[in-house]
Amino acid sequence: AQSVTQPDIHITVSEGASLELRCNYSYGATPYLFWYVQSPGQGLQLLLKYFSGDTLVQGIKGFEAEFKRSQSSFNLRKPSVHWSDAAEYFCAVTYTGYSSASKIIFGSGTRLSIRP
Amino acid sequence: GAVVSQHPSWVICKSGTSVKIECRSLDFQATTMFWYRQFPKQSLMLMATSNEGSKATYEQGVEKDKFLINHASLTLSTLTVTSAHPEDSSFYICSARDPGGSGSYPGELFFGEGSRLTVL
C-alpha cells in the first residue's frame, strides 16, 4: 500500500533562514507527488506537484521540491522563509495512471513556526 | 483559478440532530469529489469518494449510514452527518478535481475552505 511519511512533526526556523521539509513515500510504481499548505482553520492550497520530467519543480510562494527516486523522497525547500510561511505543510501522493477518481493520500503534516 | 466552496464554514448543533455540509465547484464541473475529515493537529483522512450520479465509495471504517453523501450534480456534493454526536465534531474538508478547461492543469485537485462541526 502506498504511504507518505513526514518525519518532522514541528520545525522552527528563523525568519530569513532556509527551510527544508522532508517527505518520503512508499509505493512501487512512479508516484505523483504534491505539497500542500494549510493555514489554521483553512482548506489546503497546492504549492507544487511532480508528475514527470524535471525532478526539480518550482512552486508558488518561492517554494521548490526535488524528486529523488533513489531515496523515495520529495523534500520541500525555500531559500529564505517569511513570517507568513508559518503554517501546516502536507506532502501527498497518488497513483500512477492518474485519473479523475484517483485518491490522494496525505502525510501526517509538518507544522512550521517562524522565529522573529 | 478553479474554486471550491464549502458551506457552512462552521456549525454548532445539538447531539442527535443531522447536519448537511455543501461542497460546490464554482467554475468547473467535477464528476468526482472527495470528503476528508481532519482532527486537531492531524492529517486529512479520506472518508469517501463522491461520484456524480452514483453511490459514493467509502473508505474502510467510515460508516456510510452515518455520513451520507449525495453528488446530485456536477457542481455540488453534500455530506450529511446523521444523528450527530460529540465524537463527530471535527473539521470536514471537501475537494474536487478539475478535469481541465479552466486554465489549470488537468486533474488538479482543489480544496474547499473546510467546515468545522461542533456537536454539543
Side-chain angles (χ1 to χ4, degrees), chain A:
Chain A
Q2 62 179 17
S3 65
V4 179
T5 302
Q6 292 180 249
D8 303 306
I9 297 173
H10 183 204
I11 285 180
T12 300
V13 299
S14 298
E15 189 169 16
S18 64
L19 170 71
E20 182 169 29
L21 302 182
R22 296 183 291 167
C23 172
N24 293 95
Y25 67 91
S26 172
Y27 190 62
T30 300
Y32 295 150
L33 295 156
F34 309 82
W35 274 100
Y36 288 89
V37 61
Q38 183 183 33
S39 297
Q42 300 292 313
L44 275 70
Q45 181 182 23
L46 179 67
L47 288 175
L48 48 77
K49 57 185 179 289
Y50 170 78
F51 277 35
S52 65
D54 193 348
T55 56
L56 182 64
V57 293
Q58 302 296 321
I60 63 172
K61 304 184 180 185
F63 286 93
E64 66 177 27
E66 186 170 12
F67 171 59
K68 293 185 177 180
R69 185 188 299 276
S70 61
Q71 300 177 18
S72 297
S73 69
F74 188 58
N75 294 348
L76 181 71
R77 300 194 294 251
K78 186 170 185 178
S80 177
V81 297
H82 186 261
W83 63 266
S84 59
D85 293 324
E88 189 84 19
Y89 291 80
F90 292 97
C91 183
V93 65
T94 192
Y95 303 105
T96 52
Y98 192 49
S99 72
S100 62
S102 296
K103 297 183 287 189
I104 290 185
I105 305 301
F106 287 86
S108 53
T110 298
R111 183 160 60 94
L112 174 65
S113 298
I114 306 298
R115 190 184 301 118

Side-chain angles (χ1 to χ4, degrees), chain B residues 14-90:
Chain B
K14 293 182 178 180
S15 185
T17 61
S18 294
V19 174
K20 179 184 287 187
I21 300 170
E22 294 184 346
C23 178
R24 295 182 183 272
S25 56
L26 298 186
D27 54 2
F28 65 96
Q29 293 183 331
T31 56
T32 304
M33 292 185 176
F34 302 91
W35 287 96
Y36 291 85
R37 182 174 181 176
Q38 186 179 31
F39 292 101
K41 299 184 179 181
Q42 294 191 26
S43 187
L44 281 74
M45 300 294 295
L46 179 64
M47 299 174 64
T49 301
S50 173
N51 304 299
E52 188 269 336
S54 64
K55 292 182 179 180
T57 303
Y58 290 82
E59 295 300 300
Q60 190 173 8
V62 177
E63 299 177 62
K64 58 183 66 177
D65 295 330
K66 159 69 82 174
F67 300 101
L68 300 179
I69 291 172
N70 183 276
H71 194 154
S73 77
L74 288 171
T75 59
L76 174 65
S77 175
T78 60
L79 168 68
T80 301
V81 183
T82 63
S83 187
H85 288 89
E87 57 266 29
D88 298 324
S89 299
S90 194

